Amino acid sequence: MSTPEKPSEQKIIPIAVAGAKPPAPPASPTAAMIRTLGLVSSICGLIIVGAYQGTYDAVAANKRIATERAVFKVIPAAKSIAEYVALPGGGIEPRVGAGDTPVAPGAVKFFAAYDEGGKLAGIAAEGGAKGYADTVRIMFGYSPDCQCVIGIGVVAMRETPGIGDKILTDRNFLANFNDLDVRLKGDLAALANEVKTVKHGTKANPWQIDAIAGATITSRAVGKAINDSAQALLPRLVPNLDKLRSKS
């Protein structure tokens, strides 16, 4: 004969209530983590955008100053400069906009440099080509009088220190740009002779660049940068030089 359970030992069995919803499952740790990461990402994004907008004007001003210094370096007689673009269909016009404002597709940006008396002292333009480590960007000065390059400066590069950066210090290499021939053909459609960098010690023509021994790749990048930029700019520029002879 079984012994009846004591009241304190009786089991309580819950009875389901009709229509009652089951309890919600506990929140997933993964979902909580995703929400947290999303919030952090949003805050970081706002900080980055704010920092960019807060420093944009200063960065643009520093870039403009660096560009102007490069122009004055490659055209030593310059006292003032004006920014222009050579249009794809021919012709030139003053540059509208500044800083990182993009030029029209196919247009080539350049700078007209003027001496103290307001006369044209030369033209400065940028060019770039692949070097050993990265693109080598240079500024070169062009003299309409001799139809030649009269100086170069580096705008940006990341070549090997002590090797590639010799293009800034090697006197023999820099002498290539005292009067590098970039004259046009008779029809003004292209350069009469392609600017080329040749092996050190083998330069035989005024449109050739004598490379730096041990830094041939960087030297070639400079030559290609000048050639490509001059080929694009000069056929449009030279027929319109009279418009730039005096500062307006």
Side-chain angles (χ1 to χ4, degrees), residues 147-172:
Q147 300 181 57
C148 64
V149 171
I150 55 174
I152 67 162
V154 172
V155 176
M157 74 169 184
R158 293 193 295 180
E159 300 299 270
T160 307
I163 301 177
D165 60 2
K166 287 183 179 180
I167 62 173
L168 293 169
T169 59
D170 189 286
R171 292 183 179 180
N172 292 329

Side-chain angles (χ1 to χ4, degrees), residues 3 13-14 57-58 61 66 78 89 91-92 98 112 117 171 173 186 210 212 242:
T3 305
I13 301 174
D57 290 341
I92 60 174
R171 292 183 179 180
F173 181 74
D210 195 14
I212 301 172
D242 286 342

Side-chain angles (χ1 to χ4, degrees), residues 135-158:
T135 298
V136 177
R137 296 205 60 80
I138 58 126
M139 181 80 73
F140 65 92
Y142 168 77
S143 170
D145 295 335
C146 67
Q147 300 181 57
C148 64
V149 171
I150 55 174
I152 67 162
V154 172
V155 176
M157 74 169 184
R158 293 193 295 180

Side-chain angles (χ1 to χ4, degrees), residues 64 67-68 71 80-86 92-103 108-114 124 126 244 247:
R64 175 180 54 79
T67 299
E68 291 178 353
V71 174
S80 62
I81 62 175
E83 194 170 344
Y84 285 82
V85 289
I92 60 174
E93 64 180 23
R95 171 90 188 280
V96 178
D100 293 330
T101 305
V103 298
V108 181
K109 182 177 70 174
F110 69 93
F111 300 88
Y114 296 91
E126 288 189 33
L244 303 172
K247 188 175 182 181

Side-chain angles (χ1 to χ4, degrees), residues 88-244:
I92 60 174
E93 64 180 23
R95 171 90 188 280
V96 178
D100 293 330
T101 305
V103 298
V108 181
K109 182 177 70 174
F110 69 93
F111 300 88
Y114 296 91
D115 62 18
E116 194 169 5
K119 301 299 181 183
L120 185 66
I123 301 295
E126 288 189 33
K130 183 68 172 66
Y132 181 78
D134 200 355
T135 298
V136 177
R137 296 205 60 80
I138 58 126
M139 181 80 73
F140 65 92
Y142 168 77
S143 170
D145 295 335
C146 67
Q147 300 181 57
C148 64
V149 171
I150 55 174
I152 67 162
V154 172
V155 176
M157 74 169 184
R158 293 193 295 180
E159 300 299 270
T160 307
I163 301 177
D165 60 2
K166 287 183 179 180
I167 62 173
L168 293 169
T169 59
D170 189 286
R171 292 183 179 180
N172 292 329
F173 181 74
L174 294 175
N176 286 295
F177 312 104
N178 292 336
D179 54 358
L180 181 70
D181 183 5
V182 288
R183 69 183 64 248
L184 295 175
K185 296 178 180 179
D187 61 2
L188 306 182
L191 296 184
N193 300 283
E194 183 180 351
V195 175
K196 287 186 177 181
T197 301
V198 297
K199 186 178 178 180
H200 179 70
T202 65
K203 177 175 178 174
N205 296 295
W207 56 83
Q208 294 176 329
I209 298 173
D210 195 14
I212 301 172
T216 304
I217 295 177
T218 308
S219 301
R220 287 176 179 168
V222 173
K224 180 172 175 52
I226 292 176
N227 181 76
D228 292 353
S229 181
Q231 294 278 22
L233 172 63
L234 296 185
R236 308 177 197 178
L237 171 69
V238 172
N240 294 283
L241 280 172
D242 286 342
K243 300 177 182 178
L244 303 172

